[in-house]
Amino acid sequence: MEAEGLDWLLVPLHQLVSWGAAAAMVFGGVVPYVPQYRDIRRTQNADGFSTYVCLVLLVANILRILFWFGRRFESPLLWQSAIMILTMLLMLKLCTEVRVANELNARRRSFAAADSKDEEVKVAPRRSFLDFDPHHFWQWSSFWDYVQCVLAFTGVAGYITYLSIDSTLFVETLGFLAVLTEAMLGVPQLYRNHRHQSTEGMSIKMVLMWTSGDAFKTAYFLLKGAPLQFSVCGLLQVLVDLAILGQAYAFKPALHAVHPAGTKAL
């Protein structure tokens, strides 16, 4: 009788927690990029952020949406993918604008140092997706080139999925590729940090949010009985996040030694 009397409180409370967890899944993935976006806008410098992170997330979430057509999973995960795609496009737009502006300013300064006239200033050669130059892949001069690439990939992947949607092997492989690609999210940043032996320009807040978000996401997968691929790759993603945090700790002394009065807050 006592248990029945508590049902009126526990049932709505459980529903509220469930809604909160779903909202955290949908919007929590984009939160880590807010401090990085603000840092880039404030400093007008995108060198510390690898745009290949955007590439990884765009590919992963497009594949995840296609996987949904073959094997339906929870709606919050589907909405999360759509919102993440929009967020990565915004990050790419900002990074492209900042990089192109900095290249133009650097060229203007070099011409000014050579006592050249303003009308003689030339911009750097335009790098376009339609050039199909592998040396400049994902380093294009216009945001529209990135959009074209994303649309082309979506069209090709969508067509292949349409033709193979009845194959269980294809669908399961597609789901595995989607979450495995997402699990590799931090690898471009990990590699960049290792190559430069520095984490300067990288937002530590972003990586901390990656780690907490990925831990929450993996727990959500396990509790909600999501496909096995999601849980396994979620654990791998947490390990990559921890490795990046380890780099931040390992490279911090060297950073202070080289830049004792550094202006970039990590």
Side-chain angles (χ1 to χ4, degrees):
M1 196 68 168
E2 222 175 278
E4 291 178 4
L6 290 176
D7 283 348
W8 69 272
L9 178 63
L10 294 178
V11 171
L13 184 61
H14 179 271
Q15 189 66 46
L16 189 63
V17 171
S18 180
W19 286 344
M25 279 300 302
V26 172
F27 298 104
V30 305
V31 172
Y33 298 95
V34 174
Q36 185 69 69
Y37 187 91
R38 293 178 64 185
D39 282 350
I40 293 173
R41 281 186 66 90
R42 178 175 55 83
T43 63
Q44 288 298 294
N45 187 343
D47 292 342
F49 177 72
S50 173
T51 54
Y52 287 100
V53 169
C54 299
L55 173 62
V56 169
L57 277 175
L58 285 167
V59 170
N61 285 281
I62 290 168
L63 293 179
R64 189 199 283 184
I65 290 174
L66 295 176
F67 176 53
W68 183 85
F69 289 100
R71 182 176 175 183
R72 301 298 170 92
F73 48 80
E74 293 228 333
S75 296
L77 298 178
L78 181 65
W79 284 109
Q80 181 200 49
S81 292
I83 291 174
M84 183 61 76
I85 288 171
L86 292 175
T87 302
M88 289 303 101
L89 289 175
L90 286 174
M91 288 292 296
L92 277 175
K93 186 174 186 297
L94 176 65
C95 290
T96 304
E97 290 173 351
V98 167
R99 187 183 70 246
V100 171
N102 288 342
E103 287 177 355
L104 181 57
N105 289 337
R107 184 169 289 269
R108 280 174 173 164
R109 286 194 296 269
S110 66
F111 273 96
D115 293 326
S116 297
K117 297 180 180 179
D118 290 340
E119 54 267 28
E120 294 177 352
V121 175
K122 299 177 182 179
V123 297
R126 186 180 185 280
R127 299 185 292 270
S128 171
F129 165 66
L130 295 178
D131 292 339
F132 300 110
D133 185 350
H135 298 293
H136 293 146
F137 178 75
W138 212 250
Q139 298 174 18
W140 302 308
S141 303
S142 170
F143 171 65
W144 177 240
D145 291 305
Y146 293 95
V147 174
Q148 290 181 80
C149 180
V150 171
L151 291 175
F153 174 78
T154 303
V156 172
Y159 182 66
I160 294 173
T161 302
Y162 174 75
L163 295 177
S164 310
I165 198 68
D166 294 327
S167 169
T168 303
L169 177 61
F170 173 82
V171 171
E172 293 300 324
T173 303
L174 182 64
F176 177 74
L177 288 176
V179 291
L180 180 63
T181 305
E182 186 174 358
M184 296 295 103
L185 162 65
V187 172
Q189 192 70 52
L190 188 75
Y191 173 73
R192 182 202 170 279
N193 296 343
H194 174 73
R195 185 161 58 90
H196 293 282
Q197 292 292 293
S198 169
T199 57
E200 184 176 10
M202 182 189 76
S203 171
I204 295 296
K205 291 178 183 177
M206 178 186 72
V207 182
L208 287 171
M209 290 180 183
W210 274 358
T211 308
S212 58
D214 291 337
F216 171 81
K217 181 172 63 178
T218 304
Y220 183 90
F221 291 157
L222 292 170
L223 293 174
K224 290 291 185 177
L228 181 62
Q229 302 102 312
F230 284 62
S231 302
V232 173
C233 293
L235 291 170
L236 178 59
Q237 204 167 351
V238 172
L239 292 177
V240 174
D241 295 340
L242 293 174
I244 296 175
L245 287 175
Q247 286 181 323
Y249 177 79
F251 298 150
K252 196 171 183 180
L255 177 63
H256 288 313
V258 177
H259 303 286
T263 57
K264 177 69 69 178
L266 293 181

